[in-house]
Amino acid sequence: MKVLVINAGSSSLKYQLYNMTDESVLAKGLVERIGMDSSILTHKPTGREDVTEVSEILEHTTAIRKVIDILTDKENGVLGSVSEIQAVGHRVVHGGEAFKESALVDDAAKAEIRRLFDLAPLHNPAAMMGIRAAELNMPGVPQVMVFDTAFHQTMPEKAYLYAIPRVLYKKYKVRRYGAHGTSHDFVSKAAAEYLDRPVEDLKIITCHVGNGGSVTAVKGGVSVDTSMGMTPLEGLMMGTRSGDLDPAIVPYVMNKEELSVSEVNSMLNKHSGLLAISGISSDMREITEGMENGDANSTLAFEMYEYRLRKYIGSYAAAMNGVDVIVFTAGVGENSVVLRQKVCEQLTYLGVELDEALNAIRSGEPRRITTANSKVEVLVVPTNEELVIARDTHRIVLNSQ
């Protein structure tokens, strides 16, 4: 079975095409600047040169049509025809309580995703555009939704409920849902496999830190707590998101600055985090460069970011009464040597003993960065959310036939 995996953003669309016989990637790519007359399609067929096209792509239906065209192109494609795509898998950030696992796309599922737009306003509407565009371009091809929140549906009430009037949960399902679940699930299982130990026997803290970031306590292979909340705004300091803050700040600032709900939501999601503190960038690479050049604001931004990440690791060690494995993943977690070093240097009370030489190695494979004497294993595990989506899509479509 060939499965097309789609991750649709408001103005972008990432794709990967898998041959599930051996889980190989036939091609992958990205459509950027959707909605503009200078949209960019970057297509990467495996084992061949990349292809870049610039054209007018005004909406997602056209974007997916362009993707199909290049996948079936005689010169740059990897398929004889679009009929070879037997299933489509979509990343959907928020599945609420309705979806405890991945699900086939049908009218009822689409209606539920629309109902959840308010909980993931930056993500779920974009996912729906991707689903609709795939339906129009590939009618009759089964589609599957894979949810970032599903892995966290195992959290107990004490972890997912907020200490606010219970009626708000009963009426509106106000609770912690988490995000990045596909990644946390993948890397926790990959860590156990790397260590050749049953995941059911391990207490693992997974740190998915990129432009967005979250930490999850995985006990016995299931999520028991996670840092993101009802929306992806809570938790760690991120690239442009504030993370945790006193909720009284919101009405206070709204009153002082005469901000609307939309404006304060934009401030906290798009103009906070590393960008706000550094004043230069939301990109950890640029923050690190600024810090190395002696920029005080960059240094402060890095220190706040690291400090908050380390606090969550400590709190989840307490939540699980110990920790066997700490995993770093995603863009920052996999690539920032200095962040991993600074975090681990302050976790010696847990028995973490960093091996600086191992930490400095850059590799695309899972690897240990602690010494043989370390009481806690610290690993760097590259995440692969697209593969999880492809696997779930393959399994669900086969079972539905």
Side-chain angles (χ1 to χ4, degrees):
M1 179 184 290
K2 292 183 176 67
V3 174
L4 179 63
V5 173
I6 293 174
N7 182 352
S10 58
S11 62
S12 65
L13 188 144
K14 297 178 184 177
Y15 65 92
Q16 289 197 23
L17 180 67
Y18 282 87
N19 182 344
M20 296 310 295
T21 302
D22 57 3
E23 296 187 341
S24 60
V25 177
L26 301 177
K28 61 183 177 180
L30 169 66
V31 184
E32 301 174 272
R33 298 162 63 92
I34 296 173
M36 304 180 70
D37 58 8
S38 57
S39 303
I40 303 169
L41 167 61
T42 304
H43 177 65
K44 301 180 178 182
T46 300
R48 287 144 62 190
E49 290 188 7
D50 297 355
V51 180
T52 301
E53 295 183 357
V54 178
S55 62
E56 181 181 79
I57 301 177
L58 298 181
E59 35 71 50
H60 286 69
T61 302
T62 305
I64 288 186
R65 187 164 65 249
K66 290 281 189 181
V67 170
I68 292 171
D69 287 346
I70 202 160
L71 286 172
T72 56
D73 181 77
K74 289 184 178 180
E75 185 176 346
N76 301 305
V78 294
L79 297 174
S81 73
V82 66
S83 63
E84 293 182 43
I85 299 175
Q86 296 164 282
V88 182
H90 296 267
R91 179 202 178 203
V92 182
V93 166
H94 218 300
E97 288 192 335
F99 298 100
K100 292 180 169 54
E101 59 184 7
S102 303
L104 275 171
V105 173
D106 57 22
D107 289 342
K110 288 188 288 187
E112 184 65 22
I113 294 306
R114 291 189 188 96
R115 193 182 67 79
L116 294 167
F117 277 8
D118 287 347
L119 297 184
L122 303 180
H123 302 93
N124 273 28
M128 274 304 306
M129 287 190 285
I131 290 168
R132 179 59 178 156
E135 287 177 331
L136 291 171
N137 281 283
M138 292 172 279
V141 175
Q143 299 191 68
V144 171
M145 300 179 291
V146 180
F147 303 95
D148 279 10
T149 52
F151 181 60
H152 303 301
Q153 286 295 301
T154 52
M155 288 189 293
E157 280 189 321
K158 65 182 179 182
Y160 72 69
L161 286 179
Y162 292 110
I164 57 177
R166 192 71 179 268
V167 67
L168 296 175
Y169 170 65
K170 292 179 178 177
K171 290 177 66 175
Y172 308 115
K173 298 303 180 183
V174 176
R175 52 159 285 181
R176 179 181 307 281
Y177 291 99
H180 299 137
T182 307
S183 177
H184 290 294
D185 185 18
F186 178 84
V187 299
S188 59
K189 289 180 171 62
E193 183 178 351
Y194 174 83
L195 296 170
D196 196 24
R197 296 177 63 184
V199 71
E200 294 80 10
D201 296 343
L202 295 172
K203 299 173 182 177
I204 306 174
I205 297 173
T206 51
C207 306
H208 177 110
V209 280
N211 189 52
S214 61
V215 182
T216 294
V218 182
K219 188 175 184 179
V222 300
S223 172
V224 296
D225 205 348
T226 193
S227 60
M228 282 183 169
M230 187 176 83
T231 75
L233 181 59
E234 187 182 358
L236 300 175
M237 175 179 172
M238 304 174 225
T240 63
R241 295 178 217 163
S242 65
D244 293 339
L245 79 165
D246 181 346
I249 292 172
V250 174
Y252 179 82
V253 172
M254 290 178 72
N255 181 56
K256 291 291 186 181
E257 294 291 320
E258 297 182 350
L259 299 178
S260 66
V261 172
S262 177
E263 288 170 330
V264 76
N265 191 48
S266 179
M267 178 190 77
L268 295 175
N269 277 287
K270 299 180 180 180
H271 305 286
S272 297
L274 287 174
L275 177 62
I277 301 301
S278 71
I280 60 169
S281 179
S282 62
D283 192 316
M284 180 56 77
R285 292 168 295 188
E286 295 183 26
I287 299 298
T288 303
E289 183 179 349
M291 182 172 62
E292 291 170 349
N293 291 332
D295 180 70
N297 290 334
S298 295
T299 300
L300 177 60
F302 178 90
E303 289 177 346
M304 289 175 64
Y305 187 99
E306 182 275 328
Y307 179 64
R308 292 183 175 202
L309 173 57
R310 179 160 39 91
K311 282 204 300 181
Y312 263 103
I313 292 172
S315 68
Y316 286 167
M320 295 190 292
N321 190 27
V323 57
D324 301 304
V325 188
I326 298 170
V327 178
F328 288 94
T329 193
V332 178
E334 293 172 32
N335 295 299
S336 180
V337 173
V338 65
L339 178 71
R340 296 193 302 264
Q341 177 185 342
K342 294 298 183 183
V343 170
C344 290
E345 284 177 349
Q346 299 296 320
L347 296 179
T348 54
Y349 73 97
L350 291 175
V352 171
E353 189 174 304
L354 182 71
D355 185 315
E356 293 189 11
L358 292 179
N359 185 44
I361 295 172
R362 296 185 181 275
S363 167
E365 301 295 327
R367 67 190 189 278
R368 179 187 286 104
I369 61 171
T370 39
T371 69
N373 295 324
S374 184
K375 295 180 180 178
V376 176
E377 302 272 13
V378 181
L379 308 180
V380 178
V381 179
T383 192
N384 195 337
E385 295 165 279
E386 290 80 9
L387 178 57
V388 175
I389 295 170
R391 285 172 174 170
D392 275 15
T393 300
H394 181 235
R395 172 180 55 82
I396 289 172
V397 170
L398 283 181
N399 289 342
S400 70
Q401 292 176 344

